[in-house]
Amino acid sequence: MENKYQVLLFDRLQENYAAFADQWSAMTPSELIEKAEKIYAAQMVKEHLMKSVDEQQAEWLLRFENPLEIMRDKWINENGMEMVHDEDFSHALWAVMDCQDTENLYPLAPGVEPTPGRDAPVTVREFIERHPGASFDMMTPGGFVYLTPERVMLLLAGQSVKGHPGEIEYAMEITADELLNQEVLNANFSGNEWHMLSNEIQEMTRKPLTLDQGVTM
């Protein structure tokens, strides 16, 4: 079966949703109102996620006990109560698969082993190469950097960029090697661009933040 993981993921999502529905049925009206956003998000994920998931992504999501919960939480983080579009789920999928802490935040399915090397830092180069055609609004040690898709290509080709502390007139040059070799601590997709926080890689003392926390620029 060519799409076996997609079929299995569809079934898992239905199971996850049924378990949530049992919890909702035991809630009082006030509790249901309090949980309205999560209920709505779970419904949207169940109904629309499979339109955006390929076989490789489905296999990855099946590593977890409750992929519906993972995508529900990420969808809320990126969209809130707004209308969902397939592209929104594509970006949410990228974000949870890029996030180093997803396996720490959500339980794996029985018998599934943690991914080897999952704690290795994701560099700026790796992240932007995974998201071609996107823009990046970044907070870096050298200041704020904004990359259009065209500037991303120039950066990858070795051209330096400008970083500023909040005032353009104080902008300073950041070399391509310096920026591309930083690690991504935090990333969130909204408004057709990625908002990112990066820092120098510190192997022993680094305390990674989760991508789900988002970045406020």
Side-chain angles (χ1 to χ4, degrees):
M1 183 186 300
E2 292 184 359
N3 62 339
K4 68 173 183 178
Y5 293 117
Q6 290 167 304
V7 172
L8 290 171
L9 178 60
F10 177 85
D11 292 341
R12 179 77 60 80
L13 293 174
Q14 305 308 307
E15 294 171 3
N16 295 158
Y17 188 83
F20 279 140
D22 287 342
Q23 296 175 16
W24 300 333
S25 65
M27 292 181 180
T28 65
S30 61
E31 288 174 331
L32 288 172
I33 292 174
E34 183 180 344
K35 298 289 185 181
E37 185 174 41
K38 287 189 174 182
I39 293 172
Y40 177 70
Q43 292 171 339
M44 298 304 290
V45 173
K46 181 178 74 74
E47 293 174 9
H48 296 279
L49 178 64
M50 295 308 303
K51 300 175 185 177
S52 302
V53 177
D54 61 27
E55 190 72 345
Q56 181 180 8
Q57 292 166 330
E59 182 181 10
W60 185 86
L61 285 170
L62 284 167
R63 293 174 51 79
F64 298 88
E65 283 187 0
N66 198 329
L68 178 60
E69 178 185 23
I70 297 173
M71 298 308 304
R72 177 203 67 186
D73 292 349
K74 189 58 186 173
W75 189 86
I76 290 174
N77 178 257
E78 292 194 352
N79 299 278
M81 297 291 282
E82 298 176 7
M83 183 179 296
V84 70
H85 300 285
D86 290 347
E87 184 181 12
D88 292 336
F89 277 114
S90 296
H91 286 289
L93 281 163
W94 289 341
V96 297
M97 293 180 73
D98 280 337
C99 179
Q100 297 175 10
D101 283 351
T102 301
E103 291 188 2
N104 297 326
L105 295 170
Y106 299 94
L108 295 170
V112 173
E113 296 294 330
T115 304
R118 189 62 183 172
D119 291 334
V122 176
T123 66
V124 170
R125 178 187 292 276
E126 291 169 336
F127 192 91
I128 64 178
E129 286 180 343
R130 292 176 188 176
H131 308 292
S135 295
F136 301 88
D137 190 7
M138 304 178 61
M139 182 187 296
T140 79
F144 293 93
V145 173
Y146 189 81
L147 300 173
T148 62
E150 293 75 22
R151 289 182 178 176
V152 167
M153 297 303 295
L154 293 173
L155 177 68
L156 292 173
Q159 186 174 116
S160 62
V161 297
K162 296 289 186 179
H164 64 86
E167 299 292 339
I168 298 295
E169 57 265 31
Y170 298 113
M172 299 180 64
E173 186 174 282
I174 304 175
T175 68
D177 283 343
E178 179 184 352
L179 182 57
L180 292 172
N181 289 318
Q182 291 174 13
E183 64 176 319
V184 177
L185 297 181
N186 193 302
N188 187 43
F189 185 83
S190 65
N192 298 317
E193 63 189 19
W194 285 98
H195 300 278
M196 296 167 55
L197 174 66
S198 67
N199 200 359
E200 302 296 336
I201 294 178
Q202 300 176 21
E203 297 290 350
M204 300 304 294
T205 60
R206 184 175 64 91
K207 294 182 179 180
L209 302 176
T210 68
L211 298 184
D212 290 293
Q213 289 176 305
V215 177
T216 301
M217 296 294 187

